[in-house]
Amino acid sequence: MNMLRLMLVCGLVLFVFLGAPEAQEKYPNRLIEFVVQSAPGGSADVAARLYSDDLAKVLKVPITAVNRAGGAGIQGVTYVTRAKKDGYTLLQGSGSSIIILPLISKEATYDPLKDLIPLGHFVSVPTVIAVRSDSPFKTLAELIEYARKNPEKLKNSTGGIGTFSYFSLELLCVENKIKITTIPFKSGGEALPALLGGHVDMASNTLTTLGPQMAAGKVRGLAITSKKRDPDFPNLPTTAELGYPDVSFSTWFGVFAPAGVPQTVTSVLVPALEKVFKDPDVVKRAEKAQFTVDYKGPDEFRKFIENEMRLAAKVAEAAKLTKE
Amino acid sequence: METLQSLAYGFSIFLQPTNLLYCFFGVLLGTLVGVLPGLGAGAAISLLLPTVFHAPPVGSMIMLAGICYGAMYGGSTTSILVNIPGEVASVVSTFDGYQMARQGRAGPALGIAAFGSFIAGSFGVIGLMLFAPTLANFALRFGPPEYFSLAVMSLTLVTYVSKGSIIRSLMMACTGLILSAVGMDPITSKTRFTFGLSALMDGFEIVYVAMGLFGLSEVLINLGQSLKKDTLKTKIGNLLPTRQDWKDSALPIARGTVLGFFLGILPGFGTAITTFVSYAVEKRFSKHPEKFGTGVIEGVAGPEASNNSASSGTFIPLLSLGIPVNVSTSILLGALMILGLQPGPLLISSKPDLFWGLVASMYIGNVMLVILNLPLIGVWVQVLRVPYSILSVLIILFCEVGAYSVGNSVDDVLLMNIFGLFGYLVKRYKFEGAPFILALVLGPMFENSLRRALMMSDGSPAIFFSRPLSAVFLVIALFFLISPLFTRERIGKKAIEMQEE
Amino acid sequence: MRELKVGSVFLLFSLFIIYESLRLGLGTLKKPGSGFLTFCAALLLSVFSIALISRGWRLRESVKPFPRKVILALGILILYSLFMDILGFILSTFLMVGIFFRLAQKRPWWTVAGMSALVTFLAYLVFGILLRVYFPRGFLGM
């Protein structure tokens, strides 16, 4: 008798789960899977959690940030491009997986502009070229001069070949026709001890990673790739000032939907994202986490991506980075 | 004196009711997450990240930190009871811990694990408090050449973690090294050995490999042997460690604490390798090394202590320099950023309330954990009373769901099952999983630091010897290799004799 | 006989890896390539495999047959992982757990169904709801 009762309870429970039909009405009306391209704690993850709850409040549905970190972000993008085009699977895309990886990795079989719809650009993190504070190089020009006289002697640490911090340096090398040996690490955070411990001569890394070290005086920044000088580091010249306006790659994050999602969905998402990304609370949180908020709407975002793709392709070709 | 004053200041911050609650909640969740295989502290912390927006910064950090070291307590539970490592750092505890459980000594094993963790964790916090900046700067002196030498040293321990035939262990180690290369090569950012399968794009995640190799295979072995139900029911002895247990565990705990602490401060080294090193060290210095693997308490005491002191150690680079050492500390770094606490070298001086409050919370957190875990031993041991016909299925489910939760990927579940098959074959043909896992864990560090070091030196292998730290570790590795050529034969022969009995 | 079989398997494996590593490129000392480590490890492995085979040549042992239950269990598990996406977590777990309960001990089907429903529900509660793990939804949407 006891068993039977247990069975009935369980049957009821199952029935509750089974019997919840979904009405295909207004979008959104159920949980959205928000794919984040890094493992928990990575910068993409941090960025996403800055606003995912606020977005959920605006859209009035729960949003689950799901980490799909495979292949430096490739798996996350692929998952979204193959998902149902109903708007319930969205991607927070990082610049490196959208722009750089399709150039150098044969696993990245997606076309960033054809397979994805850019909905809103959130934040960017500029690249900083830096040396330790006890290094003999006081300006970028000095470093480049040394590199010209001693090809392949300088050692640079970076967070991976597929990152914008690396591409910034490579573009710099291409434009100056110098050779610097780059030692790649798995992430920006892993590349930092190499610089601090004196195992490499310089680093091309994000502002997020190098900023605190610069503030503490352990590291000297030589150039930053943002358009304007960073207010925290007024003495750090931009690459544009130093004569390299093209070296403007920043790591960025934005939200995408798979191509083929209907207009009824995007017309809801775009203004919601705009609202969230311009929300003063979200902006404040992002700035505290060392992200520069720079909202771009879908059209501006698309143009931005096209531009970056061209530049990146140029760098990849010059540095002989290919898909195979 | 100044330190004591600062500590008192820290306690004054910590002993407010809200912070106490945060700490308790953190360690509780950490224990739970540590017990559940698959999900790690990392996942739990990122789950709670949204809540820290609306919570006081110091309290939030206390809670998140509690999850980190709390997980190190819980991980050994399933390792000992059912041979499933709850965390990567608990893999080693399965070797002797599970054997102890099968002999009815699950209680003492869990007890020593808890106490060892407490002692090690507390000493680790003392170390953190006194030596944080010095140690952090010391840790910076480890670059690719030093990591390579450390990896070499750790790899030479392969022969120590194995019980039987040396050739088989070496073959397992080679296979582990090869399989560690599957996935994306961090240096060229290209994938290798994936054969187009997206499931393999990131290589094998140690967590589910260990679950399949040890946990699942054990169930399969038991399924395959049609034993009478009686023999499958494990005995349950007394719950607490005996006086002899304490005597035996004292030195291992001490050694494990020191070892774990110093290895834990090294970015990228990982608590898992630390436990392997501790196990090998214990075996090396034991008076009865051939008994390791059959259920000796030293094999549990040392590693469990080391993973807790390592956990305290991981906070040192995080708080002194803003450098994350592993996944959990990476997330903590992110949390610090979100909370506007500006991690970096200036953290301790600009935010003393955070640092000292955290230190104070870690002392009490460890106390809370040991108080929490000890009575739970009685509960956990009851799990063994569940008839194996039900328990085995639950174990299987645990493994399957745990494997999924690692990366939200069904592919991982499939891979884990395949490793379960592999583990079954390993056991069937009298190979061992331990050298394989060790090599799999060490492979990336071994290979990548070798390549990076050679890139640094423009191709010259002299770099490994010209740098003092690196040379030291290579010499130690040589010592490990050569010195027991006499004792190794002894261990090997005795073990084979015992197996043939 | 055992060691012969096992040794040969490893030997074949290591030869395959050697081939793949060479294809990936060993690189130079200045910039070691992707295949470097695996080449060395596979080379070592092939040497050990040959040693094992030669040892197995001398001793001949009898082999125990492969238990049917183990093959069945593995088959179910592999099917489970393959079908989880299609059937969804809840349904596939319910089925898998049910079959295993029955396999472990011959109980009436009703009991098995009840037990596995309960277990599935608990697993979903702890992992899916408490820990917010996102499980795949099958064609039934659950």
Side-chain angles (χ1 to χ4, degrees):
Chain A
M1 250 308 90
N2 229 350
M3 252 316 131
L4 189 60
R5 213 168 294 170
L6 184 68
M7 245 282 312
L8 284 172
V9 168
C10 299
L12 259 162
V13 161
L14 263 185
F15 179 78
V16 165
F17 278 125
L18 266 174
E22 289 149 22
Q24 293 299 334
E25 292 159 2
K26 211 162 81 61
Y27 171 86
N29 61 358
R30 58 182 168 90
L31 183 133
I32 295 181
E33 184 187 359
F34 192 43
V35 174
V36 176
Q37 288 175 290
S38 77
S43 42
D45 187 64
V46 171
R49 291 181 200 272
L50 285 174
Y51 60 85
S52 56
D53 270 5
D54 296 78
L55 186 64
K57 283 203 203 88
V58 167
L59 290 173
K60 299 198 187 40
V61 286
I63 295 187
T64 311
V66 179
N67 297 85
R68 292 185 190 275
I74 294 178
Q75 275 189 345
V77 181
T78 317
Y79 177 85
V80 171
T81 54
R82 294 205 190 132
K84 277 214 290 221
K85 322 267 191 256
D86 54 6
Y88 288 99
T89 314
L90 298 175
L91 171 74
Q92 179 187 260
S94 69
S96 61
S97 58
I98 303 280
I99 296 188
I100 298 187
L101 287 176
L103 290 171
I104 63 173
S105 175
K106 62 178 172 357
E107 265 78 12
T109 52
Y110 44 84
D111 180 321
L113 289 173
K114 287 210 205 84
D115 295 326
L116 292 168
I117 304 178
L119 294 174
H121 173 279
F122 180 38
V123 290
S124 60
V125 182
T127 304
V128 174
I129 312 260
V131 291
R132 267 190 340 282
S133 40
D134 57 6
S135 159
F137 303 117
K138 303 245 182 330
T139 65
L140 188 65
E142 281 176 27
L143 186 105
I144 294 179
E145 195 48 44
Y146 183 87
R148 199 165 289 168
K149 295 204 187 97
N150 305 281
E152 291 189 355
K153 194 141 185 293
L154 279 180
K155 307 285 187 292
N156 171 54
S157 80
T158 190
I161 304 259
T163 60
F164 278 116
S165 358
Y166 171 65
F167 263 56
S168 305
L169 184 74
E170 267 306 306
L171 188 54
L172 203 65
C173 290
V174 162
E175 294 204 350
N176 282 296
K177 299 200 195 353
I178 53 177
K179 277 188 186 287
I180 295 181
T181 311
T182 294
I183 302 185
F185 287 82
K186 210 162 173 204
S187 69
E190 264 196 42
L192 181 63
L195 175 72
L196 289 178
H199 308 286
V200 292
D201 306 299
M202 55 176 288
S204 60
N205 213 323
T206 59
L207 180 65
T208 329
T209 316
L210 291 174
Q213 309 299 328
M214 293 197 293
K218 301 234 161 157
V219 157
R220 177 188 308 140
L222 297 179
I224 189 172
T225 59
S226 51
K227 289 205 175 48
K228 290 203 283 269
R229 292 199 180 193
D230 188 280
D232 289 326
F233 303 103
N235 291 328
L236 183 56
T238 65
T239 44
E241 285 173 31
L242 294 173
Y244 309 102
D246 269 348
V247 183
S248 57
F249 288 125
S250 297
T251 313
W252 53 258
F253 300 109
V255 179
F256 295 80
V261 160
Q263 239 251 327
T264 44
V265 169
T266 54
S267 56
V268 171
L269 285 174
V270 172
L273 285 169
E274 178 168 7
K275 186 157 175 217
V276 168
F277 291 160
K278 290 193 174 153
D279 181 324
D281 272 338
V282 173
V283 171
K284 203 161 64 131
R285 258 181 247 147
E287 313 243 304
K288 268 206 253 168
Q290 304 270 355
F291 292 119
T292 312
V293 180
D294 181 20
Y295 173 72
K296 293 199 216 313
D299 298 316
E300 208 188 333
F301 197 9
R302 183 175 283 266
K303 275 205 212 75
F304 172 69
I305 294 179
E306 284 167 359
N307 198 25
E308 297 258 293
M309 280 173 73
R310 262 187 309 111
L311 265 177
K314 176 168 148 196
V315 176
E317 205 192 307
K320 299 202 184 41
L321 298 165
T322 52
K323 244 183 161 172
E324 174 22 60
Chain B
M1 252 301 108
E2 198 194 301
T3 326
L4 279 177
Q5 272 180 334
S6 308
L7 187 62
Y9 172 59
F11 270 105
S12 72
I13 298 190
F14 173 66
L15 287 174
Q16 297 158 29
T18 36
N19 288 340
L20 275 168
L21 268 178
Y22 275 119
C23 183
F24 181 70
F25 183 63
V27 299
L28 184 67
L29 189 59
T31 312
L32 176 69
V33 153
V35 170
L36 291 175
L39 279 171
I45 298 177
S46 46
L47 253 183
L48 290 175
L49 269 184
T51 56
V52 308
F53 295 151
H54 313 289
V58 178
S60 313
M61 286 310 298
I62 289 180
M63 176 178 74
L64 297 180
I67 298 180
C68 280
Y69 55 87
M72 291 297 154
Y73 275 78
S76 51
T77 311
T78 45
S79 304
I80 294 174
L81 288 177
V82 286
N83 209 38
I84 305 178
E87 291 268 316
V88 185
S90 315
V91 168
V92 175
S93 308
T94 60
F95 301 164
D96 278 86
Y98 181 61
Q99 296 304 319
M100 283 181 72
R102 292 185 79 182
Q103 292 159 22
R105 302 235 295 145
L110 289 170
I112 282 289
F115 277 113
S117 302
F118 171 65
I119 296 173
S122 307
F123 270 103
V125 179
I126 295 179
L128 165 68
M129 178 180 78
L130 292 175
F131 301 119
T134 337
L135 281 176
N137 283 312
F138 176 68
L140 283 182
R141 294 178 56 195
F142 282 75
E146 283 75 23
Y147 277 98
F148 175 69
S149 307
L150 270 176
V152 168
M153 185 188 82
S154 308
L155 266 181
T156 56
L157 298 172
V158 159
T159 49
Y160 282 89
V161 300
S162 59
K163 289 177 279 186
S165 149
I166 299 292
I167 287 207
R168 291 176 142 111
S169 306
L170 289 173
M171 286 173 75
M172 281 280 107
C174 287
T175 314
L177 279 179
I178 293 173
L179 288 188
S180 74
V182 171
M184 193 168 254
D185 175 358
I187 299 196
T188 61
S189 285
K190 304 229 184 288
T191 51
R192 5 168 223 191
F193 299 112
T194 57
F195 309 111
L197 295 167
S198 70
L200 296 177
M201 222 198 291
D202 244 354
F204 300 113
E205 183 68 51
I206 311 288
V207 182
Y208 61 73
V209 169
M211 276 163 45
L213 194 67
F214 294 105
L216 207 57
S217 65
E218 184 69 22
V219 175
L220 290 173
I221 293 266
N222 286 329
L223 263 182
Q225 298 168 320
S226 42
L227 297 168
K228 292 187 288 210
K229 284 184 224 149
D230 295 330
T231 34
L232 278 178
K233 207 171 185 175
T234 38
K235 301 173 279 188
I236 296 177
N238 53 347
L239 285 179
L240 284 178
T242 62
R243 179 158 276 179
Q244 182 60 35
D245 288 330
W246 278 109
K247 262 182 75 185
D248 290 332
S249 311
L251 271 181
I253 292 181
R255 284 191 283 253
T257 306
V258 174
L259 195 70
F261 186 66
F262 283 104
L263 291 178
I265 58 179
L266 299 175
F269 194 73
T271 38
I273 308 178
T274 317
T275 52
F276 273 97
V277 175
S278 168
Y279 187 80
V281 163
E282 289 317 310
K283 195 169 173 184
R284 174 81 182 77
F285 287 105
S286 162
K287 293 196 184 56
H288 48 104
E290 69 284 351
K291 288 225 198 103
F292 269 71
T294 60
V296 289
I297 199 140
E298 294 94 316
V300 176
E304 275 303 311
S306 69
N307 72 19
N308 277 74
S309 59
S311 180
S312 305
T314 58
F315 280 90
I316 291 185
L318 178 71
L319 296 174
S320 319
L321 291 175
I323 297 179
V325 150
N326 57 10
V327 174
S328 313
T329 42
S330 298
I331 309 178
L332 285 180
L333 188 69
L336 282 172
M337 285 203 294
I338 296 183
L339 290 167
L341 289 169
Q342 285 144 12
L346 300 176
L347 182 74
I348 302 184
S349 42
S350 66
K351 300 248 181 314
D353 52 341
L354 172 70
F355 181 75
W356 292 105
L358 255 181
V359 167
S361 76
M362 284 168 78
Y363 277 118
I364 306 294
N366 271 293
V367 173
M368 281 188 200
L369 278 164
V370 85
I371 294 179
L372 226 119
N373 276 289
L374 280 181
L376 281 179
I377 294 181
V379 173
W380 294 129
V381 167
Q382 296 308 316
V383 165
L384 294 176
R385 277 198 210 272
V386 175
Y388 197 72
S389 59
I390 298 185
L391 188 62
S392 54
V393 182
L394 292 178
I395 294 175
I396 293 179
L397 179 66
F398 230 22
C399 287
E400 303 290 313
V401 179
Y404 176 80
S405 59
V406 171
N408 292 315
S409 158
V410 183
D411 295 327
D412 289 345
V413 182
L414 181 62
L415 286 175
M416 183 198 68
N417 291 329
I418 295 180
F419 275 103
L421 169 63
F422 182 60
Y424 175 76
L425 293 172
V426 158
K427 289 190 173 142
R428 190 174 143 87
Y429 291 106
K430 296 241 180 5
F431 281 78
E432 284 173 65
F436 174 78
I437 279 271
L438 178 61
L440 193 67
V441 173
L442 271 177
M445 185 163 96
F446 184 78
E447 178 184 21
N448 295 322
S449 42
L450 174 67
R451 290 164 75 183
R452 287 182 191 130
L454 286 177
M455 285 170 89
M456 277 168 69
S457 68
D458 289 316
S460 149
I463 192 173
F464 299 115
F465 298 99
S466 58
R467 292 162 68 117
L469 271 177
S470 167
V472 161
F473 289 119
L474 283 179
V475 165
I476 297 182
L478 204 64
F479 167 74
F480 272 137
L481 263 182
I482 294 186
S483 89
L485 258 181
F486 319 97
T487 50
R488 196 203 291 167
E489 283 181 351
R490 244 204 306 133
I491 299 176
K493 277 206 185 112
K494 263 196 176 165
I496 294 181
E497 279 166 25
M498 283 172 67
Q499 271 184 345
E500 280 161 4
E501 267 167 34
Chain C
M1 246 339 172
R2 260 186 196 177
E3 315 209 285
L4 205 67
K5 253 198 301 181
V6 170
S8 324
V9 167
F10 273 108
L11 186 63
L12 280 171
F13 175 67
S14 52
L15 289 175
F16 171 66
I17 298 291
I18 290 178
Y19 168 72
E20 268 292 308
S21 310
L22 286 170
R23 202 178 61 85
L24 283 172
L26 295 180
T28 59
L29 259 186
K30 220 178 189 182
K31 199 171 187 210
S34 288
F36 182 61
L37 176 79
T38 44
F39 176 77
C40 297
L43 202 64
L44 273 175
L45 186 64
S46 53
V47 166
F48 292 134
S49 314
I50 294 176
L52 196 70
I53 290 177
S54 65
R55 194 198 280 190
W57 209 266
R58 285 178 265 139
L59 323 157
R60 308 264 167 144
E61 298 165 32
S62 60
V63 186
K64 291 188 292 224
F66 223 94
R68 206 178 56 99
K69 263 189 172 179
V70 173
I71 301 181
L72 194 60
L74 278 166
I76 297 171
L77 287 176
I78 296 192
L79 281 176
Y80 172 65
S81 38
L82 290 174
F83 277 106
M84 217 210 277
D85 260 333
I86 310 177
L87 295 177
F89 171 75
I90 297 185
L91 186 59
S92 50
T93 309
F94 173 71
L95 288 172
M96 188 253 304
V97 171
I99 297 179
F100 270 116
F101 271 134
R102 169 83 183 176
L103 198 70
Q105 193 184 353
K106 274 203 150 68
R107 301 182 184 91
W109 279 108
W110 287 120
T111 327
V112 166
M115 283 165 69
S116 61
L118 183 65
V119 168
T120 309
F121 173 64
L122 281 174
Y124 187 77
L125 193 69
V126 172
F127 283 93
I129 299 195
L130 180 66
L131 294 167
R132 291 221 246 157
V133 178
Y134 185 80
F135 286 119
R137 277 135 204 253
F139 62 86
L140 287 172
M142 49 171 215

